[in-house]
Amino acid sequence: MGRGRQKAKATKQAREIKYYTPDTDLTALERELAKTRGDRESSSRPARPEPEERSSGFDPYEDKYGR
């Protein structure tokens, strides 16, 4: 196979992958999201401690520029 044909085939395959949209089962996704939300709500500890509870020092999640 020549380089031109090889490149055309690769381009065609890349387009197929890029624009491929599989059928999504939205009801299954909704059930999964509802299940994970329920797990988070039942948790008794907060996801991130309040500022007074945090230890002093560097916080990697804090905004560097104080915006």
Side-chain angles (χ1 to χ4, degrees), residues 3-36:
R3 175 67 185 134
R5 288 176 59 195
Q6 185 178 3
K7 185 177 179 188
K9 184 176 180 182
T11 302
K12 180 182 175 187
Q13 290 172 336
R15 269 197 204 107
E16 288 173 357
I17 292 170
K18 181 178 181 180
Y19 297 111
Y20 174 69
T21 54
D23 294 333
T24 304
D25 185 3
L26 297 176
T27 56
L29 178 62
E30 187 178 345
R31 283 192 307 261
E32 184 177 339
L33 290 173
K35 184 173 69 171
T36 56

Side-chain angles (χ1 to χ4, degrees), residues 29-66:
L29 178 62
E30 187 178 345
R31 283 192 307 261
E32 184 177 339
L33 290 173
K35 184 173 69 171
T36 56
R37 284 185 193 141
D39 291 346
R40 258 192 236 148
E41 290 172 1
S42 66
S43 176
S44 61
R45 74 175 181 91
R48 188 169 176 197
E50 293 300 319
E52 62 273 359
E53 294 176 2
R54 280 190 247 155
S55 63
S56 62
F58 178 72
D59 183 7
Y61 301 108
E62 193 172 320
D63 188 8
K64 290 181 183 180
Y65 304 105

